[in-house]
């Protein structure tokens, strides 16, 4: 039951990956590596699809050849193994050498495929069963088919060993996060398929030497199926992994956007002109913006503008008196100090704030922290200011230092 589920999943994922990459492949007709990758997905899906117990007997009946699905599966595996080599060679080898190296691998695997096809019709699965697994276990009891399967496993093992070697080399060459993750996943998948080849080889040897190795069957089909699934996932990770990065960036920006909101809203109410696009309502401002990164950028600028406007209505002496009265550090350049400045000035009536701002000098005597050059650092700092602003409001819900500023 588990094997059937894995087989269905592998077939679906392989064909889905083929369908996803096909349009891009048709647009980039000269991209040999992309064509090879698309061939890999197609053959991977077919290798599992045609050997499903629900379909294999119908396919064999259609062709009139018992167990023809075993040959189709094995041929698809050889082709996809060669396709992997082509992709990795084009990705990792110098451009001038890649075509020659790829052709050499295609010729080697093409010759191996020819031998397999001819041999299959000569020896054929000599036992027939309703399931693919039991058919092979019964067939390898005969010398000719055991030799055929041994050659097939050797071809697969050599191909997967090369996949591991080339994947590891290419992983060390790239600096893109998701491409590295994908190549590591392909490497693990190829290693599991090597386990499949070894366990299947042990089964063949056990059959010929007279000991029962059927207990290894769950290991071989699990490692083969999971390995194939990991390889498909690994080859697709570079395509969809970047979407995860973008989604995480979207969530991170929107989260920061919301965390800055209380501080921004207080400054906006005091100085509505800071907003380039004024919100329609308090609740409307909570709706995720279409581009949260841009909205976050605007929010940071507007907070800084609002802080500059309010600083003109507060002197360093007044700030120090408020800080001492609340038993807080007298550091106006800390996150808490910046939050306290805003709370202190906003505790005044709007008319008094406007009057004091008009009478104030062009520049406040309160030392100002220069903005960070890195936008992420600026967001992190203002987030801490916003958290301090909220904490001051929660711990002291009344006006902060209103009497001291009068």
């Amino acid at each position: 039951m588990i094997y059937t589920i894995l087989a269905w999943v592998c077939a679906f994922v392989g064909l889905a990956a083929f369908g996803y990459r096909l349009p891009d492949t048709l647009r980039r007709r000269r991209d040999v590596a992309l064509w090879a990758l698309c061939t890999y997905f197609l053959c991977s899906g077919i290798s599992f699809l045609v050997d499903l117990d629900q379909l294999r007997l119908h396919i064999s009946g259609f062709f009139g050849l018992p167990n023809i699905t075993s040959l189709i599966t094995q041929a698809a595996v050889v082709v996809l193994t060669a396709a992997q080599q082509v992709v990795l060679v084009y990705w990792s080898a110098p451009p001038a050498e890649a075509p020659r190296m790829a052709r050499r691998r295609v010729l080697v695997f093409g010759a191996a495929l020819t031998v397999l096809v001819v041999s299959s019709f000569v020896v054929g699965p000599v036992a027939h069963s309703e399931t693919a697994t039991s058919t092979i276990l019964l067939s390898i009891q005969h010398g000719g088919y055991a030799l055929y399967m041994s050659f097939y496993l050797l071809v697969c093992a050599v191909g997967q060993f090369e996949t591991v070697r080339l994947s590891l080399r290419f992983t060390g060459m790239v600096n893109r996060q998701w491409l590295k993750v994908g190549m590591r996943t392909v490497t693990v998948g190829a290693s599991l398929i090597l386990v499949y080849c070894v366990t299947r080889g042990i089964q063949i040897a056990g059959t010929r030497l007279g000991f029962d190795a059927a207990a290894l069957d769950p290991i071989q089909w699990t490692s083969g199926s999971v390995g194939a699934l990991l390889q498909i996932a690994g080859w697709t990770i570079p395509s969809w992994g970047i979407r995860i990065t973008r989604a995480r960036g979207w969530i991170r920006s929107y989260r920061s956007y919301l965390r800055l909101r209380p501080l921004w809203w207080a400054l906006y109410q005091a100085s509505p002109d800071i907003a380039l696009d004024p919100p329609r309502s308090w609740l409307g401002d909570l709706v995720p913006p279409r581009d949260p990164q841009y909205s976050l950028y605007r929010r940071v600028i507007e907070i800084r503008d609002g802080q500059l406007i309010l600083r003109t209505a507060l002197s360093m002496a007044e700030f120090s008196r408020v800080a001492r009265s609340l038993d807080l550090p007298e550091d106006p350049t800390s996150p808490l100090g910046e939050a306290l400045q805003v709370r202190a000035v906003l505790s005044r009536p709007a008319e008094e704030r406007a009057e004091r701002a008009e009478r104030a000098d062009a520049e406040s005597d309160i030392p100002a922290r220069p903005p960070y050059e890195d936008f992420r650092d600026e967001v992190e700092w203002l987030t801490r200011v916003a958290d301090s602003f909220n904490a001051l409001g929660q711990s002291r819900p009344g006006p902060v230092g209103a009497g001291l500023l009068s």
Side-chain angles (χ1 to χ4, degrees):
M1 180 64 178
I2 297 178
Y3 171 72
T4 301
I5 294 174
L6 278 174
W8 274 105
V9 171
C10 291
F12 172 79
V13 172
L15 294 176
F18 168 75
Y20 175 76
R21 297 299 298 181
L22 183 60
D24 193 31
T25 304
L26 294 175
R27 287 192 296 267
R28 297 159 58 182
R29 297 179 183 274
R30 296 180 180 274
D31 192 333
V32 177
L34 187 56
W35 275 100
L37 186 60
C38 213
T39 301
Y40 166 81
F41 290 139
L42 176 62
C43 290
S44 183
I46 289 175
S47 68
F48 284 95
L49 183 67
V50 300
D51 229 14
L52 290 167
D53 293 334
Q54 295 85 347
L55 300 177
R56 62 186 301 272
L57 294 179
H58 298 290
I59 296 174
S60 296
F62 176 79
F63 285 101
L65 296 171
N67 297 314
I68 186 65
T69 55
S70 296
L71 175 59
I72 296 174
T73 295
Q74 292 159 3
V77 169
V78 173
V79 174
L80 70 87
T81 303
Q84 284 187 119
Q85 307 300 306
V86 173
V87 176
L88 288 169
V89 164
Y90 267 87
W91 283 4
S92 62
E97 299 179 17
R100 176 182 55 82
M101 296 172 64
R103 281 194 299 270
R104 186 170 59 192
R105 282 168 167 75
V106 169
L107 288 174
V108 170
F109 282 98
L113 178 60
T114 302
V115 173
L116 279 174
V117 172
V118 173
S119 301
S120 176
F121 284 102
V122 172
V123 299
V126 293
H128 308 301
S129 176
E130 291 185 357
T131 66
T133 302
S134 58
T135 294
I136 293 178
L137 285 175
L138 291 172
S139 296
I140 60 177
Q141 297 177 12
H142 299 265
Y145 195 77
L147 182 62
Y148 166 85
M149 277 298 297
S150 298
F151 179 70
Y152 166 71
L153 292 173
L154 178 63
V155 173
C156 291
V158 170
Q160 295 305 321
F161 178 81
E162 272 293 284
T163 298
V164 170
R165 186 181 69 85
L166 292 173
S167 295
L168 288 175
R169 186 174 76 175
F170 184 59
T171 301
M173 296 169 56
V174 298
N175 54 13
R176 290 167 52 190
Q177 175 192 2
W178 288 111
L179 192 53
K180 278 183 176 290
V181 172
M183 287 299 96
R184 290 190 181 117
T185 306
V186 168
T187 302
V188 174
S191 301
L192 286 175
I193 295 176
L194 282 173
V195 173
Y196 159 81
C197 294
V198 171
T199 52
R200 183 64 94 182
I202 293 174
Q203 285 184 323
I204 294 174
T207 302
R208 305 307 302 160
L209 296 176
F211 64 87
D212 186 10
L216 294 175
D217 208 44
I219 297 177
Q220 64 87 11
W221 60 253
T222 301
S223 58
S225 300
V226 174
L229 191 59
L230 286 175
Q231 284 197 325
I232 296 172
W235 289 115
T236 59
I237 281 175
S239 298
W240 54 262
I242 188 65
R243 299 180 184 273
I244 295 179
T245 300
R246 290 171 182 167
R248 285 165 49 188
W250 191 97
I251 294 172
R252 186 167 54 249
S253 295
Y254 181 57
R255 182 170 174 268
S256 298
Y257 177 83
L258 291 180
R259 289 183 66 184
L260 292 177
R261 187 180 185 283
L263 175 62
W264 175 86
W265 186 262
L267 293 170
Y268 167 70
Q269 288 184 308
S271 306
D273 291 341
I274 64 174
L276 180 64
D277 298 309
R280 296 179 180 179
S281 65
W282 186 87
L283 288 176
D285 188 55
L286 294 175
V287 176
R290 181 176 300 179
D291 185 356
Q293 179 67 20
Y294 170 76
S295 298
L296 177 62
Y297 178 75
R298 283 299 318 166
R299 179 145 291 182
V300 167
I301 291 177
E302 290 165 6
I303 287 175
R304 297 296 291 166
D305 289 345
Q307 287 179 303
L308 290 174
I309 292 173
L310 292 185
R311 285 181 68 250
T312 60
L314 186 69
S315 67
M316 184 63 198
E318 291 171 329
F319 170 81
S320 297
R321 285 198 300 272
V322 173
R324 284 194 298 270
S325 71
L326 300 175
D327 197 23
L328 296 176
E330 299 178 37
D331 181 8
T333 61
S334 68
L336 179 59
E338 288 192 14
L340 185 58
Q341 291 179 54
V342 176
R343 282 286 181 190
V345 176
L346 292 182
S347 66
R348 296 172 175 158
E351 298 79 6
E352 182 181 345
R353 289 200 308 268
E355 181 183 349
R356 285 181 62 91
E358 290 176 0
R359 297 200 313 262
D361 296 334
E363 295 184 2
S364 172
D365 61 347
I366 297 179
R369 173 194 61 84
Y372 288 100
E373 294 183 3
D374 190 303
F375 180 70
R376 289 172 295 185
D377 292 338
E378 184 71 19
V379 171
E380 177 62 27
W381 176 272
L382 288 180
T383 300
R384 293 166 61 190
V385 174
D387 291 342
S388 298
F389 181 82
N390 289 339
L392 286 172
Q394 293 170 2
S395 61
R396 300 173 179 85
V400 175
L404 296 173
L405 293 175
S406 301

